[in-house]
Amino acid sequence: DVSEQMQRLFELATGGPGPLKEVCRELFSGDLYERLRNEPTPVRRVPLEFCQLDLCVTEDGAQSLEQLLDEHTRDVQGNITSRSYRLPPVLWLNLDRFVYDREAQRGRKRRARLTFPDVLNVWMLVPPEERWVQELRGNAMQRTELHRRLSANRTDLAARSAKFEDCTEDDLLKLVEGQEVLAHQIEELDRVIALQGAEQELLYQLQAVIVHRGRVDTGHYFAYARAPKEFQPGRAAWVSVNDAEVEVCDAVEMRRI
């Protein structure tokens, strides 16, 4: 598949003489840090010539890329308790959306819709020992709790609005005001987390998306790539690359995948 082809291309590019080898290593190489339980050396460093993160889509339905990355740090076995990374300038993420269906006795592709930002903050992947990481993680946990409370507030408001005779107008107004307060707190935390990510160079801008259409055993690959310049002021342009067809599109079309 595409992941294996990328690995092979990287091996060919870094296997020969010349400057291309060093350029590829500078762009794509990183380190994996595994935290170990009951070991003399609590942290094991594993050099990665090609730093590709394989993320397991664990359930059907909507998920966020940030959620998958956070789960990835804890998706470990044996005496490994967690993992973190020294990340390269170019980050390659591979989504594993295939599972084995025991009843059908064949592979099945998860129909999961994944949300992903234009600028990704990878704070959850860096080693957790630094004080600034702990502060950033605390802000992210607080934001998650605020989102939970906001969702509960909206659910409560919808239920009470459907049965207006069981509550007063003041009750509904308090819920609406509570939503505004929570939304403002989330917006402020988003700003702080983004600022911390920028200060620590943890922000990655989305450059390309490779799409698979079809089943586990068959299908077709095509890609979207960010255009080198904007075709309309203030709007990022994208290019759809599908076999011999190359067309300019916008971010809205790209995110319909």
Side-chain angles (χ1 to χ4, degrees):
D1 60 6
V2 170
S3 177
E4 294 172 343
Q5 291 180 13
M6 187 63 184
Q7 286 277 9
R8 182 56 180 159
L9 286 173
F10 183 81
E11 291 172 0
L12 292 173
T14 58
L20 181 59
K21 173 171 62 177
E22 294 304 319
V23 171
C24 289
R25 286 178 175 171
E26 180 69 24
L27 291 177
F28 295 102
S29 296
D31 292 301
L32 166 65
Y33 298 101
E34 296 176 328
R35 272 147 192 82
L36 308 175
R37 184 188 296 107
N38 301 325
E39 293 289 342
T41 303
V43 178
R44 177 170 60 200
R45 172 180 170 269
V46 181
L48 302 174
E49 285 291 314
F50 179 60
C51 187
Q52 171 184 287
L53 274 60
D54 294 316
L55 307 179
C56 182
V57 181
T58 56
E59 60 186 37
D60 295 329
Q63 290 181 290
S64 70
L65 181 56
E66 294 93 332
Q67 177 185 349
L68 286 186
L69 290 171
D70 193 38
E71 292 175 355
H72 175 75
T73 64
R74 302 187 300 274
D75 183 18
V76 294
Q77 296 179 344
N79 67 335
I80 302 174
T81 60
S82 65
R83 58 162 72 109
S84 58
Y85 294 87
R86 179 188 66 81
L87 297 170
V90 179
L91 184 59
W92 179 281
L93 303 177
N94 182 49
L95 301 180
D96 295 330
R97 296 194 294 161
F98 305 110
V99 294
Y100 184 74
D101 190 327
R102 294 182 180 274
E103 293 184 1
Q105 296 187 355
R106 62 179 177 84
R108 178 175 66 86
K109 184 177 179 180
R110 290 188 184 276
R111 300 297 177 181
R113 185 158 188 85
L114 187 76
T115 61
F116 50 93
D118 192 59
V119 177
L120 176 65
N121 190 335
V122 295
W123 61 267
M124 69 291 291
L125 297 178
V126 299
E129 290 82 6
E130 298 293 337
R131 179 176 298 178
W132 64 266
V133 177
Q134 298 173 11
E135 180 181 352
L136 208 162
R137 184 177 295 273
N139 287 333
M141 292 176 61
Q142 183 180 354
R143 181 178 60 181
T144 299
E145 173 60 20
L146 290 174
H147 274 292
R148 186 196 65 77
R149 290 168 55 189
L150 180 59
S151 178
N153 182 302
R154 288 170 174 167
T155 301
D156 191 15
L157 179 61
R160 288 172 180 256
S161 298
K163 299 180 180 180
F164 186 76
E165 65 275 6
D166 295 337
C167 63
T168 65
E169 185 175 344
D170 287 341
D171 292 334
L172 297 179
L173 183 60
K174 287 180 180 179
L175 287 172
V176 172
E177 291 174 346
Q179 286 187 19
E180 294 176 351
V181 171
L182 290 170
H184 176 72
Q185 292 175 336
I186 291 172
E187 182 180 350
E188 179 61 20
L189 277 175
D190 284 340
R191 186 191 66 79
V192 172
I193 291 172
L195 180 61
Q196 291 172 319
E199 290 174 347
Q200 301 298 331
E201 299 182 348
L202 299 176
L203 304 183
Y204 284 82
Q205 185 180 54
L206 183 67
Q207 295 295 328
V209 180
I210 299 176
V211 184
H212 176 265
R213 288 271 171 83
R215 302 194 308 269
V216 172
D217 54 351
T218 185
H220 176 67
Y221 284 100
F222 62 98
Y224 292 98
R226 185 182 292 272
K229 67 176 182 178
E230 296 178 349
F231 292 93
Q232 294 183 13
R235 295 186 63 182
W238 289 78
V239 177
S240 171
V241 183
N242 192 343
D243 290 339
E245 297 182 5
V246 180
E247 299 178 344
V248 176
C249 63
D250 59 17
V252 175
E253 178 180 338
M254 180 272 293
R255 290 184 175 277
R256 291 198 188 107
I257 56 177

